[in-house]
């Protein structure tokens, strides 16, 4: 039986969504239905992995009463709680859904992590690393942490033989590509690839060339670039693949990238071959877009979509 | 030494305020400073009473992690926790402060109180009634409670010799005026007086006449009608008074009515005479408007403003 997968969410949130026919500014708006969920990209990853029937744990920082709220939600979602308590208070993120499809969001920055808490987290995490083979890291860094904090986590995991899947952007992503110990997989979008390569990307041929030749990318075993409705291009080792997906009627695309990471983690944790890994990831990505709830899939539809994915080797 | 005062807040909230230079619709707005406080009119009353140096307790319904958040804030504010736990989750209320003085609020309706919880609350409250002489009730009723629930509480308090100050509106206020046992004091605004009297109020002479002659009001020992910057008109027994206040530069008028209730409760609980009661209430109301924090006063300024209030008997 495969070991549990660990997903990291360093800056989780209690997400609140307010459906309003009309948002009236400068006055009082009353809402009678409110949804409060455990949010953060890594928690989406964890939920989808749990829905695939795989043991999964979540870690990161939780604080205060909103931290307790998330802890309770984890157990309801079959996610083991490996979070560390901090002195700050876990944040809220607000989404107001109003006026025929408008989505106005207010994102709190969240608590600042102290230097002591950052150090403690490395020790905290190390206790769990011998129980797992694979760990995902998703999202942005909370305030107070150095931009190479993900690199520190990846290095620690590597020393324990744990592979890391990193889905981040900006400085933390760039730092991880230039460290001595690197992530096993990254999932940049086309903008992030352009930033890494330092050049615009106009077509798939250019993307192909960058994936094969850019030294920052060629040193990473797995690079998966989502192309939205056009599927994905992936580098596994020195081989390039194109994953073609069927046409789908998306209900809610939010969290689809996280769900793709969940599929990648699930298949890689089972030592699946390249074909299976890519097909699994495309399928979980699709299943998320078919679901109204972010970071949720209906696993009973898995086989149906899995069989429709076509993987081509393109180098 | 006077007994503690009890303030009721049946539908408290964790109030969140988001200061934003500009609220951009249909996109992501990031906030770095966020204030989360224990909200609800009765909790404003309690805070001001505590700041006057008087022992005070708060009661009502608390549930879930936001309920725990409020419980912690109470102890930080020197308010004794006499709240009852419920199965539902305490609500959030959001205020977005944006674009040069605009205030866009989103108010959740809050948890529904079950019939059993409503019954239990009467028993819960009764345990405390022999420890107090005076209780305030502020704000609207949570979902699930009958519109005469405040009347039931007032009757229960009355049977234990506890006087009740009611600051509510609509059906719950009207019901309390037609029950057999009535509140000792109500604090309607001019709109509410008009609703009770079933007629528009154009000037102070008309207000005077209604206060003296309307049978629903003449049966209530104390009726205090705030006139904003013009002070207040009050009926105490069969006597009418006008309270004149000095000109002030208001910083934050929100919570000023609650602070006035705090002053009324404080003075009545000390068996002060009519003059003192009205002067105290006007002073706490003013001190709240001078404070940036809602439901907060600087008690060291008390004497200064108290000495500037003029009370005239006008009948």
């Amino acid at each position: 039986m495969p070991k549990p997968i660990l997903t990291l969410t360093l800056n989780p949130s209690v997400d609140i969504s307010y459906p309003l026919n009309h948002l009236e500014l400068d006055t009082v708006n009353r809402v009678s239905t409110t949804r409060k969920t455990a949010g953060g990209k890594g928690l989406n990853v964890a939920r989808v992995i749990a829905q695939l029937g795989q043991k999964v744990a979540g870690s990161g920082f939780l604080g205060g009463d909103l931290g307790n709220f998330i802890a309770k939600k984890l157990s309801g979602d079959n996610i083991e709680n490996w979070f560390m308590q901090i002195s700050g208070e876990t944040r809220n993120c607000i989404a107001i859904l109003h006026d025929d499809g408008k989505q106005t969001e207010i994102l709190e920055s969240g608590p600042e992590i102290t230097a002591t808490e950052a150090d403690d987290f490395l020790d905290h995490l190390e206790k769990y690393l011998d129980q797992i083979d694979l760990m995902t890291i998703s999202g942005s860094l909370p305030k107070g942490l150095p931009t190479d904090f993900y690199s520190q986590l990846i290095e620690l995991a590597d020393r324990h033989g744990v592979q890391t899947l990193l889905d981040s952007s900006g400085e933390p992503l760039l730092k991880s590509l230039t460290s001595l110990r690197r992530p096993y997989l990254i999932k940049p979008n086309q903008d992030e690839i352009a930033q890494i390569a330092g050049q615009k990307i106009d077509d798939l041929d250019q993307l192909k060339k960058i994936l094969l030749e850019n030294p920052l990318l060629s040193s990473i075993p797995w690079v998966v670039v989502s192309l939205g409705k056009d599927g994905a291009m992936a580098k596994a080792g020195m081989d390039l693949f194109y994953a073609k997906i069927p046409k789908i009627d998306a209900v809610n695309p939010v969290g689809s990238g996280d769900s793709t990471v969940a599929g990648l983690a699930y298949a890689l944790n089972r030592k699946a071959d390249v074909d299976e890994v890519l097909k699994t990831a495309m399928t979980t990505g699709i299943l998320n877009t078919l679901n109204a709830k972010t970071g949720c899939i209906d696993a009973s539809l898995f086989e149906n979509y899995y069989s429709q994915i076509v993987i081509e080797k393109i180098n």
Side-chain angles (χ1 to χ4, degrees), chain A:
Chain A
M1 218 178 71
K3 290 186 185 170
I5 294 168
L6 171 61
T7 74
L8 296 191
T9 316
L10 295 199
N11 199 10
S13 61
V14 174
D15 290 351
I16 307 183
S17 92
Y18 291 126
L20 279 174
N21 283 332
H22 170 56
L23 174 63
E24 180 91 22
L25 298 180
D26 205 18
T27 185
V28 164
N29 299 266
R30 291 179 193 278
V31 289
S32 50
T33 53
T34 304
R35 225 159 58 88
K36 301 190 183 184
T37 54
K41 291 165 67 64
L43 290 176
N44 292 338
V45 176
R47 251 192 319 267
V48 172
I49 292 173
Q51 285 162 348
L52 289 169
Q54 161 68 43
K55 261 199 138 180
V56 61
S59 189
F61 301 107
L62 289 182
D65 297 295
L66 297 186
N68 292 338
F69 178 91
I70 289 180
K72 276 178 226 157
K73 289 279 180 190
L74 291 178
S75 77
D77 286 338
N78 281 318
I79 301 166
E80 271 197 70
N81 184 351
W82 294 357
F83 277 83
M84 188 183 103
Q85 282 292 319
I86 52 167
S87 57
E89 301 257 340
T90 293
R91 63 183 173 150
N92 281 119
C93 289
I94 315 279
I96 310 165
L97 313 168
H98 61 102
D99 298 278
D100 296 319
K102 288 206 171 64
Q103 177 154 346
T104 300
E105 296 184 39
I106 300 176
L107 307 188
E108 298 179 12
S109 55
E112 181 150 351
I113 308 300
T114 66
T116 311
E117 286 168 340
D119 279 350
D120 288 350
F121 187 70
L122 295 172
D123 295 338
H124 173 87
L125 189 65
E126 198 163 13
K127 287 184 297 187
Y128 295 105
L129 290 176
D130 292 332
Q131 301 178 41
I132 59 169
D133 285 332
L134 191 146
M135 162 175 103
T136 70
I137 303 178
S138 304
S140 57
L141 281 171
K143 281 185 292 187
L145 294 179
T147 54
D148 72 344
F149 194 71
Y150 284 159
S151 302
Q152 294 181 37
L153 298 180
I154 291 164
E155 185 174 331
L156 183 66
D158 202 38
R159 278 196 269 122
H160 288 262
V162 171
Q163 292 175 332
T164 309
L165 277 53
L166 176 66
D167 182 15
S168 192
S169 59
E171 198 66 15
L173 172 61
L174 288 175
K175 281 262 164 78
S176 81
L177 302 179
T178 51
S179 296
L180 273 180
R181 312 243 199 169
R182 311 219 175 126
Y184 182 65
L185 180 149
I186 60 172
K187 198 194 74 58
N189 59 28
Q190 287 193 72
D191 285 347
E192 284 149 9
I193 287 281
Q195 207 199 346
I196 292 166
Q199 65 174 94
K200 270 189 70 180
I201 298 170
D202 296 317
D203 55 38
L204 291 185
D205 276 343
Q206 224 173 345
L207 176 59
K208 217 168 122 171
K209 203 166 137 60
I210 290 170
L211 283 178
L212 285 174
E213 295 177 10
N214 186 290
L216 290 178
L217 295 173
S218 60
S219 68
I220 308 290
W222 274 88
V223 180
V224 180
V225 183
S226 167
L227 306 169
K229 65 175 174 35
D230 294 325
M233 191 182 284
K235 181 180 84 70
M238 287 319 286
D239 296 330
L240 271 198
F241 297 89
Y242 181 63
K244 224 182 125 195
I245 62 175
K247 245 200 161 95
I248 43 164
D249 285 325
V251 175
N252 171 25
V254 182
S256 173
D258 302 330
S259 192
T260 301
V261 171
L264 292 166
Y266 176 83
L268 288 169
N269 194 52
R270 298 186 166 238
K271 328 284 180 213
D273 63 30
V274 170
D275 242 57
E276 266 181 88
V277 168
L278 289 174
K279 281 186 180 176
T280 303
M282 293 300 102
T283 304
T284 49
I286 289 169
L287 293 182
N288 180 82
T289 68
L290 297 175
N291 213 300
K293 280 171 89 174
T294 297
C296 278
I297 63 166
D298 177 353
S300 73
L301 303 173
F302 189 89
E303 285 307 328
N304 178 25
Y305 287 91
Y306 186 90
S307 63
Q308 297 180 58
I309 316 284
V310 179
I311 308 295
E312 278 173 53
K313 189 164 181 298
I314 55 172
N315 72 330

